[in-house]
Amino acid sequence: MDYYSKQISELIGELSKLPGVGSKSAQRLAFYLINRPVEEVQRLSDTMIQARQNVRYCSQCGTLTDQELCPICANPKRDQSMIMVVEDTRDLAAYEKTGKYEGVYHVLHGAISPMLGIGPGDIKLKELMVRLQGEVKEVIIATNSSLEGETTAMYISKLIKPTGIRVSRIASGVPVGGDLEYIDEVTLLRALEGRVEL
Amino acid sequence: MDYYSKQISELIGELSKLPGVGSKSAQRLAFYLINRPVEEVQRLSDTMIQARQNVRYCSQCGTLTDQELCPICANPKRDQSMIMVVEDTRDLAAYEKTGKYEGVYHVLHGAISPMLGIGPGDIKLKELMVRLQGEVKEVIIATNSSLEGETTAMYISKLIKPTGIRVSRIASGVPVGGDLEYIDEVTLLRALEGRVEL
Protein backbone atom coordinates (compact mmCIF):
# COMPACT_ATOMS: atom_id res chain seq x y z
CA MET A 1 0.00 0.00 0.00
CA ASP A 2 2.77 2.45 -0.87
CA TYR A 3 0.25 4.88 -2.33
CA TYR A 4 -0.67 5.77 1.23
CA SER A 5 1.87 7.28 3.59
CA LYS A 6 3.21 5.16 6.45
CA GLN A 7 0.87 6.11 9.28
CA ILE A 8 -2.22 5.80 7.08
CA SER A 9 -1.07 2.35 5.87
CA GLU A 10 -0.45 1.28 9.45
CA LEU A 11 -3.88 2.42 10.56
CA ILE A 12 -5.52 0.60 7.64
CA GLY A 13 -3.45 -2.47 8.53
CA GLU A 14 -4.52 -2.45 12.17
CA LEU A 15 -8.19 -1.87 11.31
CA SER A 16 -8.25 -4.68 8.76
CA LYS A 17 -7.28 -7.15 11.50
CA LEU A 18 -10.71 -6.61 13.08
CA PRO A 19 -13.30 -9.33 12.42
CA GLY A 20 -15.56 -8.57 9.45
CA VAL A 21 -13.45 -5.62 8.32
CA GLY A 22 -12.02 -6.11 4.84
CA SER A 23 -9.46 -3.87 3.14
CA LYS A 24 -12.11 -1.54 1.63
CA SER A 25 -13.87 -1.12 4.98
CA ALA A 26 -10.53 -0.57 6.71
CA GLN A 27 -9.72 2.25 4.25
CA ARG A 28 -13.14 3.77 4.77
CA LEU A 29 -12.77 3.60 8.57
CA ALA A 30 -9.23 5.02 8.46
CA PHE A 31 -10.24 8.07 6.42
CA TYR A 32 -13.29 8.52 8.57
CA LEU A 33 -11.15 8.55 11.73
CA ILE A 34 -8.54 10.88 10.24
CA ASN A 35 -11.28 13.38 9.45
CA ARG A 36 -13.01 13.30 12.85
CA PRO A 37 -12.21 15.76 15.66
CA VAL A 38 -9.22 14.67 17.79
CA GLU A 39 -11.41 14.39 20.92
CA GLU A 40 -13.70 11.92 19.21
CA VAL A 41 -10.84 9.61 18.18
CA GLN A 42 -9.39 9.99 21.67
CA ARG A 43 -12.72 8.98 23.22
CA LEU A 44 -13.00 5.86 21.06
CA SER A 45 -9.41 4.99 21.88
CA ASP A 46 -9.87 5.52 25.64
CA THR A 47 -13.09 3.52 25.71
CA MET A 48 -11.34 0.59 24.03
CA ILE A 49 -8.42 0.60 26.44
CA GLN A 50 -10.62 1.04 29.51
CA ALA A 51 -13.00 -1.73 28.54
CA ARG A 52 -10.08 -4.02 27.76
CA GLN A 53 -8.44 -3.30 31.11
CA ASN A 54 -11.47 -3.29 33.40
CA VAL A 55 -13.83 -5.81 31.94
CA ARG A 56 -13.61 -9.21 33.61
CA TYR A 57 -15.86 -12.18 34.42
CA CYS A 58 -18.78 -11.75 36.82
CA SER A 59 -17.79 -13.71 39.93
CA GLN A 60 -21.16 -15.45 39.95
CA CYS A 61 -22.34 -16.11 36.39
CA GLY A 62 -19.13 -15.59 34.42
CA THR A 63 -20.47 -13.00 31.96
CA LEU A 64 -18.26 -10.08 30.98
CA THR A 65 -18.73 -7.07 33.26
CA ASP A 66 -16.79 -4.15 34.73
CA GLN A 67 -18.02 -4.87 38.26
CA GLU A 68 -17.47 -7.73 40.70
CA LEU A 69 -21.08 -8.82 40.05
CA CYS A 70 -22.79 -8.19 36.69
CA PRO A 71 -25.98 -6.02 36.64
CA ILE A 72 -28.15 -9.15 36.27
CA CYS A 73 -26.70 -11.12 39.20
CA ALA A 74 -26.74 -7.94 41.32
CA ASN A 75 -30.41 -7.25 40.55
CA PRO A 76 -32.57 -8.33 43.55
CA LYS A 77 -35.62 -8.61 41.25
CA ARG A 78 -34.09 -11.46 39.25
CA ASP A 79 -35.02 -15.01 40.24
CA GLN A 80 -31.76 -16.52 41.50
CA SER A 81 -33.30 -20.00 41.62
CA MET A 82 -33.54 -20.23 37.81
CA ILE A 83 -30.27 -20.41 35.88
CA MET A 84 -30.06 -20.23 32.09
CA VAL A 85 -26.83 -21.75 30.78
CA VAL A 86 -25.47 -20.07 27.63
CA GLU A 87 -22.26 -20.41 25.62
CA ASP A 88 -21.21 -16.77 25.69
CA THR A 89 -22.11 -13.24 26.74
CA ARG A 90 -23.69 -12.37 23.41
CA ASP A 91 -26.12 -15.26 23.77
CA LEU A 92 -27.02 -13.89 27.19
CA ALA A 93 -27.61 -10.47 25.60
CA ALA A 94 -29.82 -12.09 22.95
CA TYR A 95 -32.15 -13.47 25.66
CA GLU A 96 -32.01 -10.24 27.66
CA LYS A 97 -33.30 -8.35 24.62
CA THR A 98 -36.55 -10.34 24.80
CA GLY A 99 -37.09 -8.63 28.17
CA LYS A 100 -39.17 -11.60 29.38
CA TYR A 101 -36.68 -13.86 31.14
CA GLU A 102 -36.52 -13.17 34.87
CA GLY A 103 -33.96 -15.69 36.07
CA VAL A 104 -30.19 -15.40 36.05
CA TYR A 105 -27.54 -16.87 33.75
CA HIS A 106 -24.45 -18.99 33.65
CA VAL A 107 -21.95 -18.33 30.86
CA LEU A 108 -19.89 -21.37 29.85
CA HIS A 109 -17.46 -19.46 27.58
CA GLY A 110 -17.54 -22.21 25.00
CA ALA A 111 -19.06 -25.61 24.33
CA ILE A 112 -17.76 -29.15 24.50
CA SER A 113 -16.18 -30.06 21.16
CA PRO A 114 -14.26 -33.33 20.78
CA MET A 115 -13.30 -32.13 17.25
CA LEU A 116 -11.54 -29.05 18.60
CA GLY A 117 -10.28 -30.86 21.68
CA ILE A 118 -12.47 -28.83 24.05
CA GLY A 119 -13.53 -31.02 26.94
CA PRO A 120 -15.87 -30.45 29.93
CA GLY A 121 -12.87 -29.13 31.90
CA ASP A 122 -12.28 -26.34 29.38
CA ILE A 123 -15.60 -24.57 29.88
CA LYS A 124 -17.04 -23.11 33.07
CA LEU A 125 -18.93 -26.22 34.19
CA LYS A 126 -17.30 -26.65 37.58
CA GLU A 127 -18.47 -23.13 38.48
CA LEU A 128 -22.02 -24.11 37.48
CA MET A 129 -21.96 -27.18 39.73
CA VAL A 130 -20.80 -25.06 42.66
CA ARG A 131 -23.75 -22.69 42.12
CA LEU A 132 -26.17 -25.63 42.24
CA GLN A 133 -25.35 -26.11 45.90
CA GLY A 134 -27.37 -22.96 46.57
CA GLU A 135 -31.16 -22.72 46.23
CA VAL A 136 -31.58 -23.56 42.56
CA LYS A 137 -34.91 -24.93 41.27
CA GLU A 138 -34.26 -25.13 37.53
CA VAL A 139 -31.41 -25.08 35.06
CA ILE A 140 -32.42 -24.09 31.51
CA ILE A 141 -29.84 -25.14 28.96
CA ALA A 142 -29.69 -22.57 26.14
CA THR A 143 -26.53 -23.62 24.35
CA ASN A 144 -26.62 -23.26 20.55
CA SER A 145 -28.40 -25.96 18.56
CA SER A 146 -25.14 -26.92 16.88
CA LEU A 147 -23.43 -30.28 17.36
CA GLU A 148 -21.25 -28.79 20.12
CA GLY A 149 -24.20 -27.09 21.78
CA GLU A 150 -26.27 -30.30 21.82
CA THR A 151 -23.35 -32.33 23.13
CA THR A 152 -22.84 -29.80 25.89
CA ALA A 153 -26.57 -29.82 26.73
CA MET A 154 -26.62 -33.63 27.02
CA TYR A 155 -23.48 -33.62 29.15
CA ILE A 156 -24.82 -31.00 31.55
CA SER A 157 -28.22 -32.68 31.87
CA LYS A 158 -26.59 -35.99 32.80
CA LEU A 159 -24.44 -34.18 35.33
CA ILE A 160 -27.35 -32.39 37.00
CA LYS A 161 -30.08 -35.07 36.89
CA PRO A 162 -28.76 -36.94 39.99
CA THR A 163 -29.08 -33.75 42.09
CA GLY A 164 -32.87 -33.70 41.57
CA ILE A 165 -32.81 -30.14 40.21
CA ARG A 166 -35.11 -29.64 37.19
CA VAL A 167 -33.14 -29.47 33.94
CA SER A 168 -34.70 -28.16 30.73
CA ARG A 169 -33.57 -27.38 27.21
CA ILE A 170 -34.92 -24.45 25.17
CA ALA A 171 -37.35 -25.73 22.53
CA SER A 172 -36.41 -26.54 18.97
CA GLY A 173 -37.87 -23.23 17.82
CA VAL A 174 -34.26 -22.33 17.34
CA PRO A 175 -33.28 -23.42 13.80
CA VAL A 176 -30.77 -26.29 13.73
CA GLY A 177 -27.25 -25.08 13.11
CA GLY A 178 -28.24 -21.51 14.01
CA ASP A 179 -26.33 -19.18 16.30
CA LEU A 180 -28.49 -17.72 19.13
CA GLU A 181 -27.02 -14.30 18.58
CA TYR A 182 -28.65 -13.89 15.16
CA ILE A 183 -32.10 -15.18 15.94
CA ASP A 184 -35.13 -12.90 16.19
CA GLU A 185 -36.71 -12.26 19.57
CA VAL A 186 -40.03 -13.94 18.80
CA THR A 187 -38.30 -17.22 17.96
CA LEU A 188 -36.16 -16.94 21.07
CA LEU A 189 -39.27 -16.46 23.21
CA ARG A 190 -41.09 -19.37 21.57
CA ALA A 191 -38.09 -21.57 22.27
CA LEU A 192 -38.10 -20.46 25.91
CA GLU A 193 -41.84 -21.13 26.34
CA GLY A 194 -41.69 -24.54 24.67
CA ARG A 195 -38.73 -25.80 26.66
CA VAL A 196 -38.88 -29.53 27.48
CA GLU A 197 -37.64 -31.38 30.51
CA LEU A 198 -34.56 -33.51 29.84
CA MET B 1 -28.35 -1.86 26.47
CA ASP B 2 -28.63 -2.42 30.21
CA TYR B 3 -27.91 -6.13 29.77
CA TYR B 4 -24.26 -5.16 29.26
CA SER B 5 -22.31 -3.45 31.99
CA LYS B 6 -21.44 0.23 31.57
CA GLN B 7 -17.98 0.03 29.99
CA ILE B 8 -19.06 -2.64 27.53
CA SER B 9 -22.13 -0.58 26.55
CA GLU B 10 -19.94 2.48 26.10
CA LEU B 11 -17.50 0.62 23.89
CA ILE B 12 -20.35 -0.78 21.78
CA GLY B 13 -21.80 2.73 21.58
CA GLU B 14 -18.53 4.28 20.39
CA LEU B 15 -17.92 1.51 17.86
CA SER B 16 -21.42 1.76 16.41
CA LYS B 17 -20.75 5.40 15.50
CA LEU B 18 -18.24 4.19 12.89
CA PRO B 19 -19.46 4.17 9.28
CA GLY B 20 -20.82 0.81 8.17
CA VAL B 21 -20.80 -0.59 11.70
CA GLY B 22 -24.31 -1.56 12.90
CA SER B 23 -25.21 -2.63 16.41
CA LYS B 24 -24.49 -6.36 15.76
CA SER B 25 -21.06 -5.57 14.28
CA ALA B 26 -20.31 -3.19 17.14
CA GLN B 27 -21.07 -5.97 19.66
CA ARG B 28 -18.91 -8.40 17.73
CA LEU B 29 -16.03 -5.90 17.59
CA ALA B 30 -16.38 -5.02 21.28
CA PHE B 31 -16.18 -8.64 22.42
CA TYR B 32 -13.35 -9.26 20.02
CA LEU B 33 -11.37 -6.34 21.49
CA ILE B 34 -12.11 -7.31 25.09
CA ASN B 35 -10.70 -10.76 24.40
CA ARG B 36 -7.50 -9.63 22.65
CA PRO B 37 -4.18 -9.15 24.46
CA VAL B 38 -3.85 -5.68 26.04
CA GLU B 39 -0.85 -4.83 23.81
CA GLU B 40 -2.88 -5.44 20.68
CA VAL B 41 -5.69 -3.12 21.75
CA GLN B 42 -3.07 -0.58 22.83
CA ARG B 43 -1.42 -0.75 19.40
CA LEU B 44 -4.70 -0.20 17.55
CA SER B 45 -5.49 2.68 19.88
CA ASP B 46 -2.05 4.29 19.45
CA THR B 47 -2.13 3.91 15.69
CA MET B 48 -5.49 5.68 15.56
CA ILE B 49 -4.36 8.58 17.70
CA GLN B 50 -1.03 8.97 15.89
CA ALA B 51 -2.59 8.91 12.46
CA ARG B 52 -5.24 11.39 13.57
CA GLN B 53 -2.63 13.74 15.01
CA ASN B 54 0.08 13.53 12.36
CA VAL B 55 -1.79 13.05 9.12
CA ARG B 56 -2.30 16.30 7.21
CA TYR B 57 -2.59 17.53 3.64
CA CYS B 58 0.40 17.21 1.28
CA SER B 59 1.57 20.80 0.72
CA GLN B 60 1.63 20.22 -3.03
CA CYS B 61 -1.25 17.93 -4.07
CA GLY B 62 -3.46 18.05 -0.99
CA THR B 63 -3.69 14.29 -0.40
CA LEU B 64 -3.54 12.96 3.16
CA THR B 65 -0.02 12.15 4.30
CA ASP B 66 2.14 12.14 7.43
CA GLN B 67 4.96 14.08 5.71
CA GLU B 68 5.24 17.62 4.34
CA LEU B 69 5.16 16.12 0.81
CA CYS B 70 3.30 12.88 0.06
CA PRO B 71 5.30 9.87 -1.31
CA ILE B 72 3.98 10.54 -4.83
CA CYS B 73 4.88 14.26 -5.01
CA ALA B 74 8.26 13.51 -3.42
CA ASN B 75 9.06 10.77 -5.97
CA PRO B 76 11.49 12.15 -8.61
CA LYS B 77 10.38 9.45 -11.07
CA ARG B 78 6.84 10.82 -11.26
CA ASP B 79 6.03 13.18 -14.13
CA GLN B 80 5.30 16.50 -12.44
CA SER B 81 4.01 18.02 -15.68
CA MET B 82 0.91 15.80 -15.68
CA ILE B 83 -1.66 16.39 -12.96
CA MET B 84 -4.66 14.15 -12.36
CA VAL B 85 -7.43 15.93 -10.49
CA VAL B 86 -9.45 13.69 -8.15
CA GLU B 87 -12.16 14.33 -5.57
CA ASP B 88 -10.48 12.59 -2.64
CA THR B 89 -7.53 10.53 -1.42
CA ARG B 90 -9.29 7.20 -1.93
CA ASP B 91 -9.83 8.03 -5.61
CA LEU B 92 -6.10 8.73 -5.86
CA ALA B 93 -5.42 5.35 -4.25
CA ALA B 94 -7.77 3.69 -6.76
CA TYR B 95 -5.66 5.01 -9.67
CA GLU B 96 -2.40 4.22 -7.90
CA LYS B 97 -3.48 0.60 -7.62
CA THR B 98 -3.46 0.32 -11.42
CA GLY B 99 0.31 0.97 -11.20
CA LYS B 100 0.29 2.53 -14.68
CA TYR B 101 -0.18 6.24 -14.08
CA GLU B 102 3.13 8.09 -13.86
CA GLY B 103 2.03 11.67 -13.31
CA VAL B 104 1.09 13.37 -10.06
CA TYR B 105 -2.29 14.25 -8.54
CA HIS B 106 -4.35 17.09 -7.21
CA VAL B 107 -6.94 16.26 -4.57
CA LEU B 108 -9.95 18.62 -4.51
CA HIS B 109 -11.47 17.29 -1.27
CA GLY B 110 -14.95 17.46 -2.69
CA ALA B 111 -16.85 18.44 -5.81
CA ILE B 112 -18.94 21.43 -6.77
CA SER B 113 -22.55 20.82 -5.72
CA PRO B 114 -25.13 23.60 -6.00
CA MET B 115 -27.59 21.26 -4.24
CA LEU B 116 -25.39 20.99 -1.15
CA GLY B 117 -24.24 24.59 -1.40
CA ILE B 118 -20.64 23.59 -2.22
CA GLY B 119 -19.16 26.17 -4.59
CA PRO B 120 -15.80 26.40 -6.40
CA GLY B 121 -14.39 28.25 -3.38
CA ASP B 122 -15.10 25.28 -1.08
CA ILE B 123 -12.83 22.79 -2.85
CA LYS B 124 -9.08 23.05 -3.47
CA LEU B 125 -9.31 24.74 -6.87
CA LYS B 126 -7.26 27.83 -6.07
CA GLU B 127 -4.38 25.55 -5.08
CA LEU B 128 -4.66 23.80 -8.46
CA MET B 129 -4.49 27.10 -10.34
CA VAL B 130 -1.36 28.08 -8.42
CA ARG B 131 0.30 24.79 -9.45
CA LEU B 132 -0.48 25.49 -13.11
CA GLN B 133 1.98 28.42 -13.02
CA GLY B 134 4.75 25.81 -12.92
CA GLU B 135 5.67 23.55 -15.86
CA VAL B 136 2.42 21.70 -16.38
CA LYS B 137 1.61 20.15 -19.77
CA GLU B 138 -1.67 18.37 -19.04
CA VAL B 139 -4.44 18.29 -16.48
CA ILE B 140 -6.48 15.05 -16.44
CA ILE B 141 -9.82 15.48 -14.72
CA ALA B 142 -10.78 12.27 -12.92
CA THR B 143 -13.66 13.46 -10.78
CA ASN B 144 -16.49 10.93 -10.34
CA SER B 145 -19.00 10.58 -13.16
CA SER B 146 -21.79 11.82 -10.91
CA LEU B 147 -23.64 15.11 -11.47
CA GLU B 148 -21.27 16.86 -9.06
CA GLY B 149 -18.20 15.30 -10.64
CA GLU B 150 -19.26 16.32 -14.15
CA THR B 151 -20.12 19.84 -13.02
CA THR B 152 -16.70 20.13 -11.41
CA ALA B 153 -14.99 18.78 -14.54
CA MET B 154 -16.75 21.33 -16.77
CA TYR B 155 -15.94 24.15 -14.38
CA ILE B 156 -12.24 23.24 -14.18
CA SER B 157 -11.90 22.81 -17.94
CA LYS B 158 -13.36 26.27 -18.57
CA LEU B 159 -11.00 27.71 -15.99
CA ILE B 160 -7.89 26.10 -17.48
CA LYS B 161 -8.62 26.39 -21.23
CA PRO B 162 -7.47 30.07 -21.47
CA THR B 163 -4.02 29.11 -20.09
CA GLY B 164 -3.36 26.88 -23.13
CA ILE B 165 -2.60 23.85 -20.96
CA ARG B 166 -4.10 20.61 -22.29
CA VAL B 167 -7.18 19.55 -20.31
CA SER B 168 -8.60 16.04 -20.59
CA ARG B 169 -11.33 14.01 -18.91
CA ILE B 170 -11.05 10.27 -18.19
CA ALA B 171 -13.18 8.33 -20.67
CA SER B 172 -16.73 7.24 -20.05
CA GLY B 173 -15.51 3.72 -19.30
CA VAL B 174 -16.42 4.66 -15.76
CA PRO B 175 -20.09 3.71 -15.32
CA VAL B 176 -22.41 6.71 -14.90
CA GLY B 177 -23.26 7.33 -11.26
CA GLY B 178 -20.35 5.14 -10.12
CA ASP B 179 -17.83 5.98 -7.44
CA LEU B 180 -14.18 5.68 -8.56
CA GLU B 181 -13.26 3.92 -5.35
CA TYR B 182 -15.30 0.82 -6.18
CA ILE B 183 -14.38 0.38 -9.82
CA ASP B 184 -12.11 -2.44 -11.00
CA GLU B 185 -8.61 -1.61 -12.19
CA VAL B 186 -9.14 -2.67 -15.81
CA THR B 187 -12.04 -0.25 -16.21
CA LEU B 188 -10.04 2.50 -14.54
CA LEU B 189 -7.18 1.91 -17.00
CA ARG B 190 -9.51 1.87 -20.00
CA ALA B 191 -10.96 5.17 -18.86
CA LEU B 192 -7.47 6.63 -18.57
CA GLU B 193 -6.40 5.46 -22.03
CA GLY B 194 -9.59 6.69 -23.71
CA ARG B 195 -9.51 10.14 -22.18
CA VAL B 196 -10.76 12.91 -24.49
CA GLU B 197 -9.66 16.50 -24.75
CA LEU B 198 -12.20 18.98 -23.40
Side-chain angles (χ1 to χ4, degrees):
Chain A
M1 288 194 294
D2 53 352
Y3 34 91
Y4 288 131
S5 63
K6 188 163 159 290
Q7 295 193 352
I8 301 178
S9 296
E10 279 174 5
L11 179 56
I12 294 172
E14 285 296 325
L15 290 169
S16 60
K17 287 181 192 164
L18 298 172
V21 178
S23 85
K24 284 270 182 226
S25 310
Q27 282 182 46
R28 182 167 287 273
L29 287 174
F31 286 107
Y32 171 84
L33 289 170
I34 287 167
N35 284 303
R36 301 308 297 175
V38 179
E39 314 82 63
E40 200 174 306
V41 180
Q42 188 73 55
R43 190 165 58 235
L44 170 59
S45 164
D46 291 349
T47 315
M48 272 174 17
I49 298 286
Q50 268 186 25
R52 176 61 189 81
Q53 287 179 335
N54 300 332
V55 171
R56 51 192 153 161
Y57 298 142
C58 166
S59 62
Q60 182 168 292
C61 75
T63 193
L64 292 166
T65 178
D66 52 12
Q67 304 289 321
E68 171 71 18
L69 269 187
C70 75
I72 297 164
C73 287
N75 185 346
K77 287 183 189 150
R78 303 296 292 238
D79 181 356
Q80 303 275 342
S81 72
M82 186 182 268
I83 300 181
M84 180 184 284
V85 178
V86 292
E87 292 182 24
D88 64 38
T89 299
R90 278 176 295 177
D91 295 336
L92 174 159
Y95 257 108
E96 278 302 284
K97 270 176 212 158
T98 69
K100 297 283 174 64
Y101 175 68
E102 297 178 340
V104 292
Y105 295 90
H106 189 83
V107 182
L108 295 172
H109 291 285
I112 296 169
S113 168
M115 290 263 288
L116 298 171
I118 301 170
D122 300 315
I123 59 177
K124 298 197 177 292
L125 258 183
K126 213 169 46 192
E127 291 82 350
L128 175 63
M129 297 314 285
V130 170
R131 289 179 71 182
L132 298 188
Q133 293 167 7
E135 282 195 14
V136 177
K137 294 204 188 88
E138 179 173 359
V139 173
I140 303 168
I141 307 179
T143 50
N144 289 325
S145 67
S146 60
L147 181 59
E148 291 79 13
E150 295 294 352
T151 308
T152 310
M154 289 310 295
Y155 188 91
I156 296 176
S157 91
K158 277 185 194 154
L159 214 59
I160 299 180
K161 275 275 163 111
T163 66
I165 295 169
R166 193 178 171 214
V167 187
S168 59
R169 174 89 173 105
I170 52 168
S172 59
V174 177
V176 171
D179 197 344
L180 272 195
E181 189 189 352
Y182 292 103
I183 296 164
D184 65 277
E185 293 160 29
V186 177
T187 311
L188 286 173
L189 278 178
R190 195 163 301 157
L192 178 62
E193 282 157 11
R195 66 186 187 267
V196 290
E197 197 149 348
L198 295 179
Chain B
M1 289 194 294
D2 53 353
Y3 33 91
Y4 288 131
S5 63
K6 188 163 159 288
Q7 295 192 352
I8 301 179
S9 295
E10 279 175 3
L11 179 56
I12 294 172
E14 286 296 324
L15 290 169
S16 61
K17 288 182 192 165
L18 297 173
V21 178
S23 83
K24 283 270 182 227
S25 311
Q27 281 182 46
R28 182 167 286 274
L29 287 174
F31 286 107
Y32 172 85
L33 289 171
I34 288 167
N35 284 302
R36 301 307 296 175
V38 179
E39 314 82 64
E40 200 175 307
V41 180
Q42 188 72 56
R43 191 166 58 237
L44 170 59
S45 163
D46 291 348
T47 315
M48 272 173 19
I49 297 286
Q50 267 185 26
R52 176 60 190 84
Q53 286 179 334
N54 300 331
V55 171
R56 51 193 152 158
Y57 297 142
C58 167
S59 62
Q60 182 169 290
C61 75
T63 194
L64 293 166
T65 178
D66 52 12
Q67 303 289 321
E68 171 71 18
L69 269 187
C70 75
I72 297 164
C73 286
N75 186 345
K77 287 184 189 149
R78 304 296 292 240
D79 181 356
Q80 302 275 342
S81 71
M82 187 182 268
I83 299 179
M84 180 185 283
V85 178
V86 293
E87 292 182 24
D88 65 38
T89 298
R90 278 176 293 177
D91 295 336
L92 173 159
Y95 257 109
E96 279 302 286
K97 270 177 211 156
T98 69
K100 296 284 174 64
Y101 175 67
E102 297 179 337
V104 291
Y105 294 90
H106 188 83
V107 181
L108 295 173
H109 291 285
I112 297 169
S113 168
M115 290 261 289
L116 298 172
I118 301 171
D122 300 315
I123 59 176
K124 298 196 177 292
L125 258 183
K126 213 168 47 189
E127 290 82 351
L128 175 63
M129 298 314 285
V130 171
R131 288 178 73 184
L132 297 188
Q133 293 166 6
E135 282 196 13
V136 177
K137 293 204 188 89
E138 179 173 358
V139 173
I140 303 168
I141 307 179
T143 49
N144 289 324
S145 68
S146 59
L147 182 59
E148 291 78 14
E150 296 294 352
T151 307
T152 311
M154 288 311 295
Y155 188 91
I156 297 176
S157 90
K158 277 185 192 155
L159 214 59
I160 299 179
K161 275 277 165 112
T163 66
I165 294 169
R166 193 178 169 213
V167 187
S168 59
R169 174 89 174 106
I170 52 168
S172 59
V174 177
V176 172
D179 197 344
L180 273 195
E181 192 189 348
Y182 293 103
I183 295 163
D184 65 278
E185 294 160 29
V186 177
T187 311
L188 286 174
L189 277 178
R190 195 162 302 157
L192 179 61
E193 283 156 10
R195 67 188 187 266
V196 289
E197 196 149 349
L198 295 178

